[in-house]
Amino acid sequence: MRAPLPSASSDLPRLSRIIAYALPALPLAALTLPLYILLPAFYSGPVGLSLGATGAALLAVRLFDAFNDPFIGIVADRWRGKFGRRRRLFALALPICALAAFMLFWPPEGAGPLYLAGWGMALSLGYTAAIIPFYAWGAEMAGDYGARSTITGWREGLTLTGTLIAIALPFSLGFDDAAGFHGLALLGVIIAATLPVFGAVAVVAVPEPAEHTRAPVGWREGLRHLRENGPFLRLIAAFFVNGLANGIPATLFLFFVGDYLGATDLQGPLLFLYFACGVAGVPVAAFASKRIGKHRAWSLGMIAACIIFAPVPLLSEGDIAAFAVICAATGLLVGFDLAIPPAIQADVIDVDTAASGEQRSGVYFAAWSLATKLSLALAVGLAFPVLGWFGFETGGGPDQSATALTALAVIYSLVPVGLKLGAIALMWNFPLDASEQGALRRTIEAPARG
């Protein structure tokens, strides 16, 4: 019989520290989903790049990540010092991240694919060097199954709040004129100003987490433990597939609302509605995780999202009310996608720590960071060329062909539903629950207690 899920945690940090830790997620949020929603449309629209050039530039950035992420993961685990292996790398990465975001969101007149790719790679480097130790830091703040859901819930709640701000600001000024001070330029200025400040608050207020490494392992042995970590392989496969399922509609959202529904003026409000409901979904996801287990709660959230999203191709031009209901419902469920997987990731790392003797959270979060970026980049790299092949044109408005609009609706909704079904199949009977994770923590913490 399965052990009951814990309702409280003995090692949960006090709330003020959790909030201080999560605070940098506000500006970092502008460099995740909004980057993939707004930036492709901005560079392929007002800036004047073609869909193919925009997709190719962003795909090049993600290929750069293929080398960048593993390197940063190793550094995050091995670079120790008095200031800590998590906080030091995080603090050093923030200025790079802030500058690159400023340059990318406020490009000069005549910026081309090389500009987008170059500053995109700089942002990728800074963001990766910040986010990997940031997530590893959160995973190591507590060892309890339920406490991890609380910590990630606060972080992802602030991430969604930052996403709301990142969406509202560009639309408040608009970004149709790439030559002036547009909405994305305002967002770039705010990121550059707030990211170093909020990062400093976290670094000063939150201690370096305890390390449970008994002995470091070589890279060959480390790779062997990685390959033999069955829950990790299963989780990252589901994480990648579901990331691709979320990335495709995120990339095509502005086109679907503007060209398919004919409601360009409602793009911002509908995006805001989606992510506002996502904020409300985070505590629901945390509650469900503690009641029925993380993997089962995530699976049920994905099932509900499939049911709600499947009828989207039946909508017609002007069906704004129906689409708003779909945005609200799927937005609520995106809280499950954001809050639950990082908490499961922390549990999967325990499998490796117990087997290898080294706490390698950085390497594992590097793998998940790469999976996230590749799934989102693949969404752009596949969706844009396929749409172009069906004759879809940016800014075509009412002149789009029926074939192009049908392709847009199918790629936007039915392809993601099929992908999510694959992720559900991987996660429904996931082997690592509260009982198994508790046994792993006893193994990990036994030497320190002994």
Side-chain angles (χ1 to χ4, degrees):
M1 183 176 178
R2 180 176 293 181
L5 300 181
S7 59
S9 170
S10 60
D11 64 343
L12 181 67
R14 61 178 182 263
L15 183 59
S16 60
R17 281 188 175 173
I18 295 176
I19 295 174
Y21 158 74
L23 195 59
L26 281 166
L28 285 171
L31 307 177
T32 52
L33 285 178
L35 185 70
Y36 288 90
I37 296 172
L38 301 178
L39 212 63
F42 178 66
Y43 273 85
S44 63
V47 175
L49 303 186
S50 67
L51 283 173
T54 303
L58 293 176
L59 186 58
V61 172
R62 298 312 159 214
L63 292 176
F64 172 74
D65 282 330
F67 301 96
N68 183 29
D69 281 303
F71 171 74
I72 295 296
I74 294 170
V75 171
D77 284 337
R78 295 297 176 91
W79 193 24
R80 293 174 172 85
K82 291 183 178 179
F83 196 56
R85 59 176 182 163
R86 304 304 179 208
R87 295 188 300 171
R88 176 165 58 175
L89 181 58
F90 174 73
L92 291 175
L94 295 185
I96 300 172
C97 202
L99 174 62
F102 176 82
M103 299 299 292
L104 198 60
F105 284 10
W106 196 359
E109 189 174 354
L114 291 179
Y115 182 93
L116 174 58
W119 281 109
M121 290 179 185
L123 179 61
S124 171
L125 177 63
Y127 179 80
T128 300
I131 207 70
I132 288 176
F134 183 54
Y135 272 65
W137 187 359
E140 295 166 358
M141 284 176 67
D144 180 81
Y145 185 87
R148 286 170 169 173
S149 294
T150 301
I151 293 168
T152 59
W154 272 98
R155 186 184 64 218
E156 300 309 319
L158 287 180
T159 295
L160 284 167
T161 303
T163 301
L164 288 175
I165 297 170
I167 290 169
L169 286 175
F171 282 100
S172 66
L173 289 183
F175 46 94
D176 294 332
D177 181 12
F181 186 74
H182 45 80
L184 280 178
L186 174 62
L187 182 59
V189 169
I190 291 177
I191 292 171
T194 59
L195 183 55
V197 174
F198 290 173
V201 171
V203 167
V204 171
V206 184
E208 182 77 7
E211 184 178 356
H212 293 286
T213 295
R214 295 192 298 271
V217 298
W219 70 271
R220 288 182 182 274
E221 185 181 357
L223 284 176
R224 179 177 62 80
H225 283 290
L226 207 69
R227 291 194 304 267
E228 293 176 355
N229 190 337
F232 158 71
L233 298 176
R234 192 163 168 176
L235 175 63
I236 199 169
F239 190 68
F240 176 82
V241 172
N242 188 62
L244 183 57
N246 290 338
I248 290 173
T251 299
L252 300 180
F253 183 89
L254 299 184
F255 298 130
F256 184 82
V257 175
D259 293 85
Y260 190 89
L261 297 178
T264 303
D265 57 334
L266 293 177
Q267 290 170 329
L270 287 170
L271 264 181
F272 192 88
L273 172 66
Y274 176 80
F275 285 109
C277 291
V279 175
V282 168
V284 177
F287 175 79
S289 296
K290 293 176 182 179
R291 289 300 297 259
I292 62 175
K294 299 173 191 175
H295 67 279
R296 194 57 58 85
W298 186 28
S299 297
L300 290 175
M302 289 189 286
I303 290 171
C306 290
I307 294 171
I308 295 165
F309 213 50
V312 165
L314 301 178
L315 299 177
S316 302
E317 183 177 355
D319 288 340
I320 304 304
F323 186 67
V325 172
I326 292 172
C327 283
T330 54
L332 186 74
L333 294 167
V334 83
F336 284 67
D337 284 336
L338 293 178
I340 298 177
I344 303 176
Q345 290 164 7
D347 300 336
V348 167
I349 294 169
D350 286 342
V351 176
D352 184 280
T353 306
S356 71
E358 182 177 5
Q359 191 172 34
R360 301 186 299 149
S361 303
V363 168
Y364 275 85
F365 277 104
W368 280 301
S369 175
L370 180 58
T372 300
K373 294 171 184 176
L374 286 178
S375 65
L376 291 173
L378 193 59
V380 177
L382 292 179
F384 277 19
V386 171
L387 275 181
W389 188 74
F390 279 101
F392 184 87
E393 295 182 2
T394 305
D399 296 327
Q400 301 282 5
S401 69
T403 300
L405 291 176
T406 299
L408 174 61
V410 169
I411 297 170
Y412 177 78
S413 62
L414 297 187
V415 171
V417 167
L419 290 167
K420 276 187 176 289
L421 291 175
I424 293 164
L426 287 166
M427 290 304 300
W428 184 256
N429 290 317
F430 191 69
L432 190 55
D433 59 9
S435 177
E436 293 293 329
Q437 189 270 338
L440 289 170
R441 290 305 301 183
R442 288 190 290 273
T443 298
I444 292 167
E445 297 173 10
R449 292 171 178 168

